[in-house]
Amino acid sequence: MTATFDLVVHATHEAGIKVGGIGAVLDGLLREPAYNAAVARTLLVGPFNRDHATEMERLFAPRNKLRVRYFSTAGIYDVPETLAQALTEIEMTFQVALLYGTRRFGVYEHEIVLVDARHVRDDVVREYKYHLWERYGIDSYRYEQNPEYETFVRAAEPSLAAVQAIVGQIPPRAVIIAHEWLGLPFVFSLQRHHPGKGKTVFYAHEVATVRPLVENHPGHDTRFYNVMYAARDRGLFLPDVFGDQSHAFKHALLMAAASLDGFFAVGDLVVDELRFLSPHFAQRCIDLVYNGVPSQRISLDERQVSTERLRTYAQNLLGFRPTWVFSHVTRMVVSKALWRDIRVMAFLDGMLAARGERAVLFTLSSAIPTGRRAEDVWRWEAEYGWPVYHRADNGDLVGLEVDYYRAIQAFNQQAQATRIVLVNQFGWDRERCGRRMPPDMQFADLRQGTHLEFGQSIYEPFGIAQVEPLTAGALCCVSNVCGCVGFVHKAGGDSVANVVVADYVTPVAALHLDIPHLLAIGQQTRDMIEAATARKVAMALAERLPRTPEAAHLGLETGFALAQRMSWDVVVRDYLIPAMAAL
């Protein structure tokens, strides 16, 4: 079978290692047989820092499945002599360092090229920034004090040179994908030197202009989306109601992305947000390419084993064995709206107490991406009972964790039948989480043993983590602004009990407000709507928790079936490949 595409280049900051959501997307797409049948050659390109110890440790860790072919810094030249000479010449010409090799995704190997451009020649950067101004109107002088902006702009030209050395001429059936704004400088370099070569795509994993408008205002999603819908009905665009956003470099790059051939979006709201940016985006075709959902079948017995491990952990921590185990696996950032979990739990507490049931919510979230040192966790556990109790003066609690812990402390003091435990660690095993965690506990137990996963974000372009436990039959409680809701709807998930959607946006319609009053929505209005919505959500969850073996079996079957219809295989076959073919 002949591949449909000769080459697909993914320009991304996660080319070398999986850091977050885009890395999870690449891991899901690039391991699928349908993707590899359609694409003859895949190359990932992005920046790296060879002097960053943690980054290099993760890059070369066995689990990253990296095979280095060229890395002059380490004296590795396992490539044909002509390619080694070409890459060495690029390093000398641009004054950069290159790493070329392959990473394994499932059973498939794909090429990667990383560029350390921290010391790239100044004249190269100046000429490229002038091009950005001349061609796209991007004033780099406004943004060059931002290290994020500089990292990707400085790497653009040598990255293109390295890709050219590796693949030769850009083949006619090539697709070059910029994953978010971080991939755009590379694509702009391609457009500069090889206009019309290959098809260029902006893959929107969010809309960078919108995120701060949602996160940084107390009205959050309740305000923003109601304003967006009202403005759209009146033919207005984002600058008309929220003002000029050109002070933000991400917005400037995003507006320049209008020059690309195609646009992919991970969720229905991302499509709406992109079209809200400007009339130009409103007129473009934007293809939905959802994120996939894990769909591994497990038995009810396997699920029960994991649940019992979680119950044992709860008993070790709290002194009781809960009827129900809830979870929220997430980053500790404002957009995840962890306070909404507490609102729902406050109503659930009385409902479960009336039934004689008890529950624990494990929030696995850390403001420090790498978590805490294992030896610190074990010491804190012995000294004051981490993770049930925390302190803010010793490196335990940092940033947003402080306020969240105070909130759950207040909740736990009043609750009758439920408790919330903050596990602010990266990892879910005894080594990382202390002696009270069962010795055979693994992260998989948290995914397949939970009865309910929370994910009521205020900004969530898709939300893979929110629906990961779906395949194990869990309830998944998500807000209606989560991008996965659209995929659930298209996959027929509205007819099953596994997904509960919390709507914190549309109740505002009953208030019949004009745009100025919608813009004025603040915490008071949002609190009122959140309280009413949280009660409805708690009632739905209390009713749907599986209290009989038959209900548990049905939830497992419907959850797995829905996850299958939302799998990465479906995403590749029904969304990604058709979208690329239509370019």
Side-chain angles (χ1 to χ4, degrees), residues 90-111:
I90 290 169
E91 289 183 310
M92 296 176 65
T93 300
F94 287 93
Q95 297 178 12
V96 298
L98 302 178
L99 185 151
Y100 169 67
T102 60
R103 277 180 65 199
R104 183 171 291 276
F105 296 80
V107 299
Y108 302 97
E109 276 195 335
H110 298 296
E111 297 167 87

Side-chain angles (χ1 to χ4, degrees), residues 36 43 149 197 286 295:
N36 288 278
L43 179 64
Y149 181 78
K197 292 289 187 179
I286 302 172
S295 58

Side-chain angles (χ1 to χ4, degrees), residues 214-246:
V214 176
E215 291 181 344
N216 297 338
H217 190 279
H220 294 320
D221 53 341
T222 308
R223 169 187 184 251
F224 177 82
Y225 290 106
N226 280 290
V227 172
M228 183 180 77
Y229 296 141
R232 185 180 61 184
D233 291 342
R234 291 160 178 78
L236 301 175
F237 293 91
L238 188 145
D240 300 321
V241 288
F242 290 104
D244 178 36
Q245 304 295 313
S246 63

Side-chain angles (χ1 to χ4, degrees), residues 226-279:
N226 280 290
V227 172
M228 183 180 77
Y229 296 141
R232 185 180 61 184
D233 291 342
R234 291 160 178 78
L236 301 175
F237 293 91
L238 188 145
D240 300 321
V241 288
F242 290 104
D244 178 36
Q245 304 295 313
S246 63
H247 60 276
F249 76 85
K250 296 177 185 179
H251 175 75
L253 290 168
L254 183 54
M255 296 306 292
S259 64
L260 273 60
D261 297 309
F263 303 88
F264 300 165
V266 299
D268 300 79
L269 272 180
V270 174
V271 174
D272 292 341
E273 292 165 18
L274 281 172
R275 289 184 171 149
F276 186 43
L277 287 179
S278 74

Side-chain angles (χ1 to χ4, degrees), residues 417-467:
T418 58
R419 295 291 185 273
I420 303 175
V421 177
L422 168 62
V423 183
N424 57 336
Q425 178 62 306
F426 180 84
W428 186 261
D429 53 40
R430 172 173 277 197
E431 179 186 358
R432 300 281 294 170
C433 296
R435 64 178 179 82
R436 290 183 291 180
M437 183 167 277
D440 49 358
M441 182 82 86
Q442 301 176 24
F443 179 72
D445 293 313
L446 190 59
R447 301 285 75 194
Q448 64 189 33
T450 186
H451 295 104
L452 163 64
E453 176 74 11
F454 279 110
Q456 304 178 93
S457 303
I458 59 172
Y459 190 75
E460 192 70 66
F462 185 81
I464 297 175
Q466 279 95 322
V467 285

Side-chain angles (χ1 to χ4, degrees), residues 305-492:
V305 167
S306 293
T307 300
E308 289 305 316
R309 287 180 184 147
L310 296 172
R311 284 177 171 144
T312 298
Y313 185 41
Q315 184 170 37
N316 293 344
L317 293 177
L318 303 167
F320 69 88
R321 200 170 190 84
T323 316
W324 308 109
V325 179
F326 306 152
S327 56
H328 192 167
V329 179
T330 188
R331 294 182 296 128
M332 182 62 68
V333 291
V334 172
S335 64
K336 303 304 180 181
L338 289 171
W339 68 87
R340 287 179 172 173
D341 299 354
I342 301 175
R343 289 187 185 274
V344 173
M345 289 291 290
F347 287 106
L348 266 177
D349 181 67
M351 297 174 188
L352 296 181
R355 295 174 178 262
E357 300 171 349
R358 305 200 72 176
V360 61
L361 165 59
F362 289 118
T363 301
L364 180 59
S365 184
S366 171
I368 303 173
T370 55
R372 278 73 181 166
R373 296 188 308 167
E375 54 265 38
D376 290 335
V377 165
W378 280 68
R379 185 177 70 257
W380 298 335
E381 180 185 47
E383 288 178 358
Y384 53 84
W386 184 98
V388 178
Y389 302 102
H390 294 275
R391 285 172 47 181
D393 60 352
N394 62 346
D396 177 355
L397 292 177
V398 299
L400 293 175
E401 296 172 352
V402 176
D403 288 339
Y404 179 65
Y405 176 62
R406 288 173 180 164
I408 65 174
Q409 265 189 314
F411 171 85
N412 288 338
Q413 288 171 1
Q414 299 293 324
Q416 306 173 64
T418 58
R419 295 291 185 273
I420 303 175
V421 177
L422 168 62
V423 183
N424 57 336
Q425 178 62 306
F426 180 84
W428 186 261
D429 53 40
R430 172 173 277 197
E431 179 186 358
R432 300 281 294 170
C433 296
R435 64 178 179 82
R436 290 183 291 180
M437 183 167 277
D440 49 358
M441 182 82 86
Q442 301 176 24
F443 179 72
D445 293 313
L446 190 59
R447 301 285 75 194
Q448 64 189 33
T450 186
H451 295 104
L452 163 64
E453 176 74 11
F454 279 110
Q456 304 178 93
S457 303
I458 59 172
Y459 190 75
E460 192 70 66
F462 185 81
I464 297 175
Q466 279 95 322
V467 285
E468 278 182 337
L470 192 61
T471 189
L475 298 177
C476 297
C477 178
V478 300
S479 62
N480 68 317
V481 302
C482 290
C484 58
V485 172
F487 202 5
V488 167
H489 176 72
K490 286 185 175 63

